Amino acid sequence: MDRCVVLVDAGYLLGAAASLLAGEPARSRITVDHTALIQGLRELAEADTERPLLRIYWFDGAPDRVPQPEHRRLRVMPRVTVRLGALTRSDGRWAQKGVDAAMHAELTELARNRACSDVVLVTGDGDLLPGLMSAKEHGVAVHLWAVQAADGDYNQSEDLVAEADERRVLDRAWITGAVRAKELTGVCAPPPAPRPEIAAILSAPLPESALAASQAAAEPGANGAQPTARDHRPDHAPPPAKGVPTPKDLAGLRASGTGPAPQPPSATLRWSSDKGWVERPHAPALGEPPETASLPTLAQLTSAEQRWADREEDITTVGGDPFEVGQVFARRWMARLSESGHVQKLSTMYPRIPHRIDGELLRYAARFGLLAHKDDQIDEHDRYAIRAGFWREIDVQAAAEHAPAGE
């Protein structure tokens, strides 16, 4: 058929673009406008081949083949199909597995079925040479596109270049229409300061009982125990106290009877930030205030129609930044409340989010690939950012409700 198809090796395209614009192939060094990039590829392919576009295939790697936020955005775009291979880490470096094989299979299948007359390959890997040659034997014209190399040399297999029917180089001017380098303050510069909301959560004081217990535990002779030689070794020094007690800290205080609501030693607290969080069947019995237990979860406030619309919005417009994820969740929760007093009630609990809502928030964040860390847990800084975004929206709404009329 007189149509063109574009096969994109995302690892090559974005890695070469990062080398060109940022000086190194790390994709974390660039920001990509995927909508503009796809539109640019479509327009250029139709102009070069003089054929209408059938489809753009986007081949990329992902941990455990789980779509990342960029893949979620791409796969709902018109005429875009995402194919994912595995992304594995070896010797400190990430490597794609199965991407070349998937591209080879797609290329030969398209040619064999005469689905198109022209194929545009955006890749540099010589492993695609057999597929390219097979496509040519089936009467398909192969256009090979390269990304301008940072050093002016080839960043493609010479065998691919020799076999291609047509060739084009995507230069810096074209690349910068959709890709830009992230600005860095310097290799040795300190990391950027966290948002004020995150800093506030980190600096919130410990409850007096928890602070006293942590100080007592830090004393050498606490509970009558004698310090040992092991205790004086520098590599076993106690960790510094955190600004906010972790769920594990609070659970330990309650179980030992030193917390504000002592529990029997066998009592177990289940918190939403723990892996394998479960609903606590008798929250008041475990010390949860009645006003906290009365707050509804987003799932309880959401209808089937709203759930579908939420999923559509998550796929098409929510980028997956942790702070943004917290904001989106909070906006939906507040918009569906039947009682406005719930917002004021929640704002008095800062910085702690009730465990049922917090657990739902973190599970929602997990949809955006934020669980791609060891032990399948969300990174600590990401958790603070998610909660900070949540509190930002709560504060805005609470301030609006308290604002005098006419302002």
Side-chain angles (χ1 to χ4, degrees), residues 358-379:
D358 189 50
E360 192 179 35
L361 169 62
L362 296 180
R363 290 195 297 277
Y364 170 66
R367 296 181 186 175
F368 298 91
L370 295 174
L371 282 180
H373 303 282
K374 66 176 184 178
D375 300 328
D376 290 333
Q377 293 194 26
I378 298 178
D379 178 76

Side-chain angles (χ1 to χ4, degrees), residues 227-244:
T228 64
R230 180 181 177 87
D231 296 329
H232 291 288
R233 289 169 58 183
D235 57 341
H236 290 89
K242 296 182 179 180
V244 179

